[in-house]
Amino acid sequence: MRAVWHRLGLVAFMLGGLHALPAAGLAQGTGSPHRGGTLRLTAASASGTLDPQISYTSQYMQLATVIYDGLLTYPKLEGPAGNQVVPDLAEAMPAPLDGGRTWVFTLREGIRFSDGAPVTVEDVAASLRRIFKVGTPTAGSFYGAIVGADACLRNSAHCTLQGGVETDPATRRITIRLTGPDSEFPQKLAFGHASILPASTPAHDLGNVAAPGTGPYHIVSSDPERGLVLERNPYFHEWSEAAQPDGYVDRIVYDFGLSEEDAVTAVERGQYDWMAGLKPLDRLGEIGSRYTAQVHVSPLYGLIFLPMNVNIPPFDQLKAREAVNYALDRRAMTILYGGSGIATPLCRMVPPGLLPGDGACAWTRGADPDHPLTPWAHPDLQRARQLVRESGTAGMDVTLIVPATAMYVSMGTYLRDMLEAIGYHARLHPLSPAMEGNYAANTANHVQISLLGWYADYASPSNFLDTLFGCENFHPGSDSSINMSGLCDAVMQGLVARIRSEPDPQAALALWGQVDDRITRLAPAAPMISTRYVDLVSPRLGHYFVTSLYHMAFSRVWVQ
């Protein structure tokens, strides 16, 4: 693999010169000369369930933003404005009452689901209860502060949220009460897992069946082997251009089955308008030089990391986890991702831009958690081998789980050799990208270490520190156990509890810095690189429009 470094350095140079198009103002879809046509999307495979309250993949959550709405949302705006919560199905942003324990919303009038049924306050209440009934991955971490949520988490089938959610049909008011203040509660309500569905929606994973939504499009056919077809929601009318704009295209066809290589070629030639997922390394130079007008590189609150299971050997030993962090060649991982134009070595579990001290590294040669250096410079294999010996885990069998894509398998092959080099008998096990995350999450599969990408649900350190390592997100035997390392640390939990009741954003940020330091010292994962996203679109796609949380907005682009 080292033989391709020089060529990939050139790729990084070329991609580093690309950028997202300048932010464009919103333009009304209705009556526009650009209205109409079919947007053609492609992906290697389906991405699991279509249930918006369960799906936790970037591929389907991106699609869900034009199908479903919550009381609040993240606006379809470019740049930092896209990170600010705005009212969606609620008429206005609520003011926190009772010290942040009570939130009152008024439901907009006249909105209908795609099956024609009016949206009512009972739909809102039922959707909040359904979060717990279906085992939404973020049920505990995002919505566990709602009064009655504890009982729902213990006995989901009989979830009522009594005292936590109250509705008044006459005034269209919904009152949500929390057991304690949560300064990020609006951000959590704006996330897709709080989508509002009809009260009649079954309390189980919908799988390949799409629930009615309120957005500009609805799914009219789905086949996990072949793809999806979306058409205009006949009952949609635009109530907020920022929150949920009327779409330009009349139809969205999303086909599955093309390999990454074939998908790149198809988009270059205009056979498809956009492809999901990462672009193959061997094509980056080509698209960066020959298809510059069709390529957009966007910043991401995202990282690639190695969660390690702290509850089973060998990574139940802290020194074994430290060894992986010291041995990791983050420059090699940067190159295998595509070069310095789209990736940066990362030593902490928070990507740049969310906490002070970007670039600080405890895991480079000559550094440790008490004496970090800036930036990461070199792996320390000698120290890693010594730590493996001291941990008593040398010679153990280790299986690394990775998504079965070209880029991740390349990384995985390198990481397998690294694990061998520090004293383990290592094996690489690629799995379908659609199932790898769920497989790694479920403790029944006894996964020791895995390779994953993680992107922010919203712009906060909590999305990486609390979501990935909080006790409430560890669910043994469940595919929805986001805390794949299985860490549960009382010191960290105490700090997070303080943050949730801290009204001063700067004070909260300082506390997140302490959580970040605690995670670094416990080393339940090895952060590898922070990432940017490379988008490739067809020559006929216009008004390219990207948000920092959900990538290209399908309702904001048009086709010629």
Side-chain angles (χ1 to χ4, degrees), residues 177-538:
R177 293 189 172 87
L178 308 181
T179 56
D182 183 351
S183 57
E184 293 187 353
F185 190 62
Q187 286 89 337
K188 294 169 182 176
L189 278 184
F191 186 58
H193 285 162
S195 294
I196 305 306
L197 307 176
S200 60
T201 305
H204 59 71
D205 188 341
L206 298 176
N208 295 313
V209 176
T214 48
Y217 299 98
H218 68 134
I219 295 175
V220 295
S221 69
S222 72
D223 181 335
E225 299 298 322
R226 300 183 63 183
L228 306 166
V229 176
L230 286 74
E231 295 180 351
R232 288 191 180 277
N233 173 1
Y235 298 96
F236 177 81
H237 68 274
E238 188 180 278
W239 57 83
S240 167
E241 191 176 10
Q244 191 61 284
D246 182 44
Y248 286 104
V249 301
D250 288 336
R251 203 163 181 257
I252 301 173
V253 175
Y254 206 147
D255 289 339
F256 305 144
L258 280 188
S259 69
E260 295 168 323
E261 294 283 352
D262 289 342
V264 168
T265 300
V267 175
E268 287 174 347
R269 295 175 177 176
Q271 295 166 298
Y272 285 98
D273 299 306
W274 178 89
M275 64 174 287
L278 300 174
K279 313 307 174 283
L281 286 179
D282 64 344
R283 304 297 292 275
L284 290 180
E286 171 191 325
I287 65 175
S289 59
R290 295 178 55 195
Y291 298 92
T292 304
Q294 295 171 229
V295 183
H296 307 267
V297 180
S298 307
L300 278 178
Y301 294 120
L303 54 81
I304 296 179
F305 71 115
L306 292 164
M308 291 174 275
N309 192 329
V310 304
N311 297 311
I312 61 175
F315 302 117
D316 55 346
Q317 300 298 310
L318 174 59
K319 288 185 177 181
R321 303 194 298 271
E322 290 176 333
V324 173
N325 271 285
Y326 277 119
L328 188 56
D329 189 335
R330 291 169 170 85
R331 182 174 292 111
M333 297 299 102
T334 297
I335 292 169
L336 289 172
Y337 187 80
S340 59
I342 56 176
T344 306
L346 184 68
C347 293
R348 61 201 301 199
M349 281 303 302
V350 180
L354 295 178
L355 277 180
D358 289 342
C361 185
W363 308 119
T364 191
R365 189 183 303 164
D368 59 47
D370 290 319
H371 309 93
L373 296 176
T374 303
W376 180 90
H378 303 284
D380 194 335
L381 283 174
Q382 182 177 349
R383 189 170 187 177
R385 293 187 186 106
Q386 179 181 342
L387 286 166
V388 169
R389 291 193 296 269
E390 291 175 359
S391 71
T393 64
M396 287 188 178
D397 292 331
V398 173
T399 298
L400 170 65
I401 305 296
V402 303
T405 67
M407 187 272 290
Y408 278 118
V409 170
S410 295
M411 284 184 170
T413 302
Y414 190 102
L415 294 167
R416 178 201 60 200
D417 294 346
M418 178 202 80
L419 291 167
E420 288 273 355
I422 62 175
Y424 295 115
H425 295 147
R427 183 174 75 96
L428 182 64
H429 186 188
L431 290 173
S432 162
M435 66 175 293
E436 190 255 357
N438 289 341
Y439 183 89
N442 196 320
T443 56
N445 298 318
H446 306 290
V447 172
Q448 297 161 301
I449 184 170
S450 53
L451 176 61
L452 294 167
W454 193 260
Y455 306 101
D457 299 330
Y458 54 89
S460 169
S462 66
N463 278 204
F464 299 89
L465 300 176
D466 185 32
T467 299
L468 290 174
F469 304 108
C471 298
E472 66 274 20
N473 287 331
F474 179 54
H475 308 291
S478 169
D479 285 358
S480 297
S481 188
I482 312 167
N483 180 351
M484 297 180 188
S485 69
L487 180 73
C488 185
D489 179 65
V491 174
M492 176 191 147
Q493 294 300 123
L495 289 168
V496 171
R498 288 173 59 189
I499 293 168
R500 287 174 176 163
S501 60
E502 176 55 66
D504 180 3
Q506 291 306 310
L509 206 60
L511 288 170
W512 279 123
Q514 294 182 42
V515 176
D516 176 56
D517 179 70
R518 181 67 176 170
I519 292 298
T520 297
R521 292 176 185 277
L522 294 173
M528 291 174 32
I529 54 174
S530 61
T531 59
R532 293 166 66 86
Y533 188 72
V534 179
D535 235 351
L536 176 67
V537 299
S538 75

Side-chain angles (χ1 to χ4, degrees), residues 68-76 84-88 186 189-191 242-244 550:
Y68 300 104
D69 295 276
L71 289 171
L72 307 175
T73 194
Y74 294 97
K76 292 177 176 63
Q84 305 301 314
V85 177
V86 298
D88 193 359
L189 278 184
F191 186 58
Q244 191 61 284
Y550 295 113

